[in-house]
Structures are given as C-alpha cells and as structure tokens.
Amino acid sequence: MTGDTGLLAQRAYTTRATLEALKRVVFPLQMPGVEALLDAQKTLVTLLEAKVLPHLELAQLPVIVVVGGSSGAGKSTIVNSVLGKEVSAASVLRPTTRVPTIVMYPLDEPVMRNHAIMKGAQVVVCEEALPGIVLVDAPDLDTVEVANHEFSRRLMEAADLWLFTTTATRYGDAVAWQALESATRRGVSCAVVLNRVPQRAQQVVQADLAARLATNDLTQVPVFSIADQGAMEGQLPALAVSQLRQWLLRMSQSRVVERVADASFLEVLPSVRADLLLLANGLDAQRAAMKALLEKTQQAMPVSVQEQITHIQEGRLGRGAPTVSWLSLASSGGVLASLVNAKSPKIWERGKTKRDHALLQLFSLIQDAVRLVLEQVLLHTQNSVEELWEHDIVVTNTFLRNARKGMDVADIVEQAMTRWQVALQVLSKDVAANAWLTSAGVTALLGVAAGGITGALKVAHKLGLSEQVEQAKELLGTIVEQTVMQVKARYEQALLEVQIPESTTLRLRATEFMDWK
C-alpha cells in the first residue's frame, strides 16, 4: 500500500495495539450469541494479522489469490494446470489438501516470508508462478477436520482475491455460497471457477449460475468455465484453463495487482470497525448479564425463609418440647421452682450448679430448634438461588459446581450457633450477681427466654434482664440473616471470580480506524 511512511507506521502501531487488545478479550459467560462473538474475534484477528498489518508493513506486497471451494471441486488440479507445474498434490482421496499449498514467484518470497498465512503451510517457490501473485490452494470449505476448516477460513479472510471453485454438480452447495457471500461482504474480490461442465449442459448451468449470482447481488463476479475432460490424471489441457490463466497473467503484468491489493485493504476497514464494536457490545452484554445474575443472587429470599427468620426473631422456638421441659423443671419441687417464685433459696439450697445445669439443658433444646430452622432456611436459600440460576440466560453449571465446592451447611450452622453463644456470654457479663444462678446460668436463661419460653421470659423480667433478652433475640435474628448472606456470598463469589473485560479499549480502537483512506 502506498502512502506516507510515518502515517503507515502509526497505523501499523494502532493495528498491533488492537491485536494485543483483541487477544486479551474473553467471553467467559456461556450465553446466547457467545459463539458468534468468538467467531467474530477469530475472524478479526485473522484480518488484522493476515491482511491489514502486511499492507501497512510490507512494501510491494503481492496479491494473495486463494483457490477455495468444496471438496472434490478440483482446486489442486486447477492450480497445477494454471501454472503448468505439479505444485499441489491432487488425488481422488478426500480431503486431498490437508494443509494449504502456497505458490509464489522467487522475487515475491522475501516479502512474504513473515506473512501470517505462511504459518503451517507448504510453500512452493518456482519460476512458473505468476510475479506479483501468491496462489494459494486452500483446504476444503466443507471439511470436517477442525484444523483444515480453520486454515480455510483464515486464508479466505487473508485473501485479496478468492477464486470460488466448484463444479457443475456442486455449485448450489449452501456452504460454498455462504462463504462467497461472506467474502464479498468483507470486501474480498471474488471470481467463480466452474469446473467439470459437460458440453451438453454448459448453457443451462452457466445461465442458472448467473441467475444465482444475480439473486445474491453478485453480478460483478467474473465466471470462468472449464469443460468436463472425462476420466483423466494429471493437469488439465492448457486450452481448458487458458481463459483463467490469461486473466491472472494480465493482473500480474499490470497495475491491477496493486489496485486489487489496495482496494481489498480499504474494503476490509469497515468490517474491522464493525467487528470491534460488535465485540465491545458483546462484552457489555456479558457484563450486564453478570450484573443481573448477581442481583438475582443477592435478592434471593423465598417467603418461607423470611417467615422462618421472623419466627426466630419473635421467639417462637420455645414451643413444644422446650416448654414441656421448662414446666417440669419449674413446677413445685422442681430444680427451678425457687427461681420461678423468686424465693431466696435456703442455706442448704444455695448451690447454683443444679439450676445452671437445668437451664443449660433447656438452652440445648432451644439451640437444637434453632439449628433445625436454620438448616431449613439455608437449604431453602440455596434452592432459591439455584432455581434462579437454572432459568437464567447464562449457563451456570460451572458456577454451581464452584459455589457448592466445600460448602458444608451443618458446619455453617454450628459456626452461627457458636457466635450466638459467645454473644450471650458477653451480655451476661454485665448482669449483677444473684442468689440463684452463676454467669453460665444467666447466659443459658437469656438463650431460653430469647427462644420464647414464657416462664423463662417472666423469670428474666423479675431478674431485671428484659433488655438483655431483647438484645439476645435481635442478636440471634442478625446472626441468622448474616448466615443466609454467608451462603449467598458463596454463590456470589463463584460469579465474581470471573473477570469480564471492559469494552472501552475496543471502542477506542474502533474510532482509530474511522479516518483511514
């Protein structure tokens, strides 16, 4: 490409910076459209490496003519016949061309030596090649081999001119037409080589092909027809490919080569900008999807969980077995009778150990009730989050595995119970000494009263502990809420471990290609 050396260097720098940014882009979320984004990313990297950079950095760059098409179209035979030399293996086995064969004139080889399309290709440098034209025999477009398919696509994106090679029986194949439309859309000059055309069907086939080209707005595409030669081996007769060879020769011997290369370069720039913006929008969509998934996770709180937390906060856990046990211990003659009646124990009854022990047993029942409810709360929370994830547009299987890894609900519950016990111990430290209980007994009484046993609440009130009981309830409610948040945080962390790049860099790079001419 001709132009100011400083300007070309600046644009080459921009292109390399864009390539570096592109290679850092990842789309970690599996969601609708991500495959198309990954495909666009690969295509854009190829365009920049194999077309844009070479035109900016290499002087007198030859035109890259890629001979491509479906399997069995005779691509290798046509390349050999146009050059009059066996440069590419041709065979009845499919696929014949497993790696691209690149054929060039000796004077063009130094310029092409570091070109991106040379990686992994078989390179033939010979005097029979056309000066100024690099002829590429590409792998089949419809190959099932992943490596060959990637080669074929990379070459098509790098091409300045694509010779779409097909046959009289295969020219309607959808894969080839999709590739042809994609190439022209990206500004790649194209020509059609219609091979193995029976003499009797020549007019019909050519008319139908012309109609298809017109339907697809491709009337400007040149068409070269090669008559069916019947059973044969080796090269086609020179006359059969003379029209195609003369057309390529005229290109190589005139300024057309340079114009084709420059036109191909300029035509591809809009698609570079469009793809950069497409990828930027894709990153924004991924970030938005991640934000929505995080918000769903944070807000996941089923009604059943909220009701259970309310029950805990309101002290409804003392019903049933805990209350029955209290009544037994507090009845006349029971261990806690003097505490309930607020009668100062007689000298021989002043041992506080029995009363402490009785309250600790009751507190154990309250804790069991809290454990049971808390386990249900946490399991319902998990189910709520996972159900939301299951119906999200993002595929969350990996996130679920990571979130569940090492999560032990029973252990989380025990940690919560320990925090409540410690909090009750802190509350009981400031309680004045009394005739019935030690500090351990007071701690247990606060827990029993906070659990909702009516008799324990009355005793706590008589001892002036009403405020501490309310604090004990609030602390338990807070700990339960924190534990729910702790479980949800495991899920949130599994999401936050995924880093989605900002789109700003790609948008900036897209603007830098705006004024290139």
Side-chain angles (χ1 to χ4, degrees):
M1 180 180 177
T2 57
D4 177 74
T5 302
L7 180 61
L8 294 181
Q10 180 184 351
R11 289 178 173 178
Y13 175 83
T14 296
T15 303
R16 289 198 176 277
T18 303
L19 266 171
E20 290 176 10
L22 272 174
K23 291 176 179 179
R24 289 194 297 270
V25 167
V26 292
F27 298 94
L29 301 186
Q30 287 182 267
M31 55 185 286
V34 74
E35 292 299 326
L37 290 170
L38 292 172
D39 191 62
Q41 184 182 17
K42 287 182 181 178
T43 296
L44 190 49
V45 167
T46 298
L47 278 175
L48 295 177
E49 285 184 336
K51 177 168 285 189
V52 177
L53 266 182
H55 279 80
L56 294 171
E57 295 182 334
L58 302 177
Q60 297 179 333
L61 189 70
V63 168
I64 297 173
V65 178
V66 174
V67 182
S70 302
S71 60
K75 299 182 294 296
S76 299
T77 299
I78 289 171
V79 169
N80 294 336
S81 303
V82 165
L83 298 179
K85 179 182 176 69
E86 294 289 329
V87 293
S88 187
S91 168
V92 294
L93 297 177
R94 300 288 176 260
T96 299
T97 307
R98 296 182 180 274
V99 296
T101 299
I102 300 177
V103 189
M104 66 188 72
Y105 192 70
L107 292 178
D108 292 324
E109 190 273 335
V111 180
M112 291 295 297
R113 191 170 295 158
N114 296 318
H115 199 286
I117 67 168
M118 305 288 276
K119 298 174 184 176
Q122 175 186 336
V123 179
V124 178
V125 181
C126 61
E127 295 289 341
E128 290 81 1
L130 307 177
I133 289 181
V134 173
L135 207 56
V136 183
D137 182 11
D140 301 332
L141 283 172
D142 54 358
T143 178
V144 295
E145 297 184 21
V146 176
N148 289 358
H149 186 75
E150 286 298 316
F151 260 134
S152 183
R153 185 175 71 166
R154 191 175 78 187
L155 290 167
M156 191 179 79
E157 297 295 345
D160 296 312
L161 172 64
W162 186 42
L163 291 183
F164 165 35
T165 307
T166 186
T167 66
T169 58
R170 297 285 305 273
Y171 68 87
D173 288 357
V175 172
W177 278 94
Q178 289 168 2
L180 182 61
E181 291 166 8
S182 175
T184 54
R185 188 169 58 249
R186 288 189 171 278
V188 178
S189 298
C190 296
V192 176
V193 179
L194 188 59
N195 194 19
R196 304 194 189 108
V197 182
Q199 187 67 35
R200 65 181 182 280
Q202 187 169 13
Q203 289 185 344
V204 175
V205 171
Q206 287 182 336
D208 185 54
L209 177 59
R212 286 175 179 267
L213 289 169
T215 300
N216 290 277
D217 197 25
L218 298 172
T219 52
Q220 79 285 0
V221 173
V223 178
F224 300 94
S225 180
I226 299 176
D228 186 9
Q229 304 299 313
M232 59 162 289
E233 293 183 2
Q235 300 174 32
L236 297 166
L239 184 61
V241 294
S242 61
Q243 187 182 17
L244 176 59
R245 176 177 169 80
Q246 288 302 316
W247 183 67
L248 291 171
L249 277 171
R250 284 197 299 274
M251 285 183 60
S252 72
Q253 295 169 358
S254 69
R255 297 281 296 174
V256 173
V257 165
E258 186 176 318
R259 289 199 300 273
V260 167
D262 284 354
S264 174
F265 167 75
L266 293 173
E267 287 289 338
V268 84
L269 293 179
S271 68
V272 170
R273 292 191 291 269
D275 281 352
L276 284 170
L277 293 176
L278 172 70
L279 295 174
N281 291 339
L283 289 176
D284 287 341
Q286 291 239 320
R287 293 177 70 86
M290 176 62 82
K291 181 181 178 183
L293 195 54
L294 275 167
E295 288 175 350
K296 284 182 181 180
T297 305
Q298 292 161 354
Q299 295 166 4
M301 185 72 77
V303 174
S304 59
V305 170
Q306 292 173 329
E307 289 175 348
Q308 296 283 21
I309 291 174
T310 301
H311 290 169
I312 291 172
Q313 290 172 328
E314 292 180 353
R316 300 184 190 179
L317 300 176
R319 297 171 182 176
T323 295
V324 171
S325 295
W326 171 270
L327 292 174
S328 173
L329 294 167
S331 61
S332 179
V335 174
L336 299 179
S338 62
L339 176 63
V340 171
N341 298 324
K343 290 182 178 180
S344 181
K346 297 176 182 179
I347 295 175
W348 61 86
E349 294 177 338
R350 287 182 181 175
K352 300 179 179 180
T353 304
K354 289 183 179 180
R355 286 183 288 276
D356 285 351
H357 182 68
L359 284 169
L360 286 168
Q361 285 182 313
L362 288 168
F363 185 39
S364 179
L365 292 176
I366 293 294
Q367 290 181 89
D368 287 343
V370 173
R371 284 189 184 91
L372 181 61
V373 172
L374 190 50
E375 284 180 3
Q376 292 175 344
V377 165
L378 297 186
L379 290 174
H380 287 162
T381 300
Q382 283 186 286
N383 291 338
S384 176
V385 172
E386 294 187 9
E387 186 176 352
L388 287 170
W389 281 20
E390 184 179 348
H391 295 94
D392 196 83
I393 61 169
V394 176
V395 178
T396 56
N397 296 343
T398 301
F399 298 137
L400 280 172
R401 284 195 299 272
N402 292 340
R404 293 169 181 162
K405 195 182 300 180
M407 187 187 295
D408 186 338
V409 170
D411 183 57
I412 294 172
V413 169
E414 285 308 312
Q415 290 177 26
M417 298 308 301
T418 300
R419 290 203 301 276
W420 191 41
Q421 291 169 11
V422 171
L424 292 177
Q425 288 169 3
V426 171
L427 284 177
S428 62
K429 280 183 180 179
D430 295 330
V431 174
N434 62 78
W436 298 275
L437 302 170
T438 68
S439 178
V442 171
T443 298
L445 176 62
L446 291 176
V448 172
I453 296 178
T454 304
L457 283 167
K458 291 179 180 179
V459 168
H461 178 69
K462 290 177 182 179
L463 295 178
L465 302 178
S466 297
E467 183 179 344
Q468 285 88 342
V469 170
E470 289 304 313
Q471 289 177 333
K473 286 183 185 179
E474 291 175 6
L475 284 167
L476 179 56
T478 300
I479 288 170
V480 171
E481 289 179 343
Q482 289 174 344
T483 305
V484 170
M485 296 304 295
Q486 180 183 349
V487 168
K488 290 201 290 186
R490 295 287 189 99
Y491 290 90
E492 292 168 24
Q493 184 58 37
L495 299 176
L496 293 171
E497 287 172 357
V498 175
Q499 299 297 314
I500 303 173
E502 293 276 359
S503 65
T504 311
T505 301
L506 293 187
R507 294 189 186 283
L508 175 62
R509 295 302 172 198
T511 62
E512 292 176 328
F513 284 87
M514 288 292 291
D515 300 323
W516 288 22
K517 294 180 181 179

